[in-house]
Amino acid sequence: MTTFLLSEELFFPPPGLANPDGLLAIGGDLSEERLIMAYQMGIFPWYSEGDPVLWWSPDPRLILLPEEFHVSRSLKKVIAQKQFQITFDTAFQNVVTGCSGRRPKSRGTWIVPEMAAAYQRLHESGIAHSVEAWQGETLVGGLYGVSLGGSFFGESMFSHVPNASKVAMWALVSHVKKKGFDLVDCQVTSEHLLRLGAKELPRKTFLAMLKRAMQKPTLTGKWKPEI
């Protein structure tokens, strides 16, 4: 298969033309318009420092249906004990920085400065959101991603203490479930997310679900936890 070279034109090839490893296209930019188009089509950027922008649409795709989120007995105990204070959209840049401080096993790459700046712009537009887990005044975990239609596209999460990112994920899923979201896109498979109830779907099935989810209005602006 061919990897497409993007120009300044706002365009993506169909995701079904991606290479077996999921790589679809190279180049382009990280403008708000291009990122929104990419997510709406089931495509996301992921690349390392010094590389051109790489665009991916893997097959299979890991997704989490809000109603299938698995809360283990130990996680229920942590939630009940209120070990963490949860906020939304109060420390977006700090969450991105926290996520960039480690190399996720499923990605094997850093969040490069250009990526961080691009998602900050989406956050300022009310499209990208963060969930923060605090202990006192210390940010100890969190996650961030992009919300479009009835789908939340998870980008990354971090945890400085045990269970912080799990509780952040629980808070996110609780929120989008109440708001009637169809799915949380987890992009690529990890054992951690599988244990939380995520599952792999063929790309074709995911894209059909995504198309339906995009028919819903986008919940923009600052989010507030309802937990």
Side-chain angles (χ1 to χ4, degrees):
M1 289 189 175
T2 302
T3 301
F4 293 82
L5 182 62
L6 301 181
S7 65
E8 294 182 358
E9 178 187 2
L10 197 58
F11 163 81
F12 282 104
L17 298 179
N19 288 304
D21 63 357
L23 181 60
L24 176 65
I26 299 174
D29 55 36
L30 294 174
S31 68
E32 183 174 333
E33 295 78 12
R34 191 182 295 273
L35 283 169
I36 290 173
M37 175 183 284
Y39 283 110
Q40 289 174 332
M41 294 178 64
I43 302 164
F44 60 87
W46 167 40
Y47 63 103
S48 299
E49 188 81 51
D51 290 340
V53 183
L54 303 179
W55 300 92
W56 304 79
S57 186
D59 187 12
R61 187 74 163 233
L62 191 73
I63 67 126
L64 174 65
L65 300 178
E67 64 272 16
E68 294 183 0
F69 182 71
H70 176 64
V71 183
S72 66
R73 185 177 302 175
S74 59
L75 182 56
K76 286 180 181 178
K77 184 177 180 180
V78 170
I79 294 168
Q81 291 174 342
K82 299 186 184 299
Q83 294 184 18
F84 305 99
Q85 298 79 51
I86 298 296
T87 58
F88 287 4
D89 290 338
T90 64
F92 184 87
Q93 192 171 36
N94 292 339
V95 170
V96 174
T97 298
C99 291
S100 67
R102 57 187 281 273
R103 190 179 295 268
K105 293 180 181 179
S106 61
R107 296 291 188 87
T109 188
W110 298 102
I111 298 170
V112 300
E114 294 80 10
M115 288 271 279
Y119 288 100
Q120 179 64 34
R121 292 192 294 270
L122 289 181
H123 176 63
E124 292 169 359
S125 296
I127 295 172
H129 302 277
S130 59
V131 182
E132 301 93 18
W134 305 83
Q135 288 187 331
E137 297 183 357
T138 303
L139 181 66
V140 294
L143 60 86
Y144 77 97
V146 175
S147 172
L148 291 170
S151 179
F152 185 87
F153 303 88
E155 274 300 312
S156 190
M157 62 175 63
F158 81 100
S159 186
H160 289 326
V161 300
N163 296 308
S165 63
K166 289 182 182 179
V167 175
M169 188 69 172
W170 164 78
L172 168 73
V173 173
S174 299
H175 183 75
V176 300
K177 184 177 180 180
K178 289 178 180 178
K179 297 299 182 181
F181 278 51
D182 294 340
L183 62 98
V184 175
D185 175 28
C186 302
Q187 299 180 347
V188 293
T189 301
S190 73
E191 290 299 323
H192 173 66
L193 291 170
L194 289 173
R195 287 193 293 271
L196 292 176
K199 62 184 179 183
E200 291 183 336
L201 290 179
R203 180 171 54 217
K204 185 175 181 180
T205 303
F206 163 72
L207 292 175
M209 292 179 63
L210 182 61
K211 185 176 180 179
R212 292 192 296 270
M214 289 302 101
Q215 303 304 310
K216 294 186 174 181
T218 296
L219 183 63
T220 58
K222 185 176 181 178
W223 285 6
K224 296 181 179 179
E226 301 177 14
I227 53 176

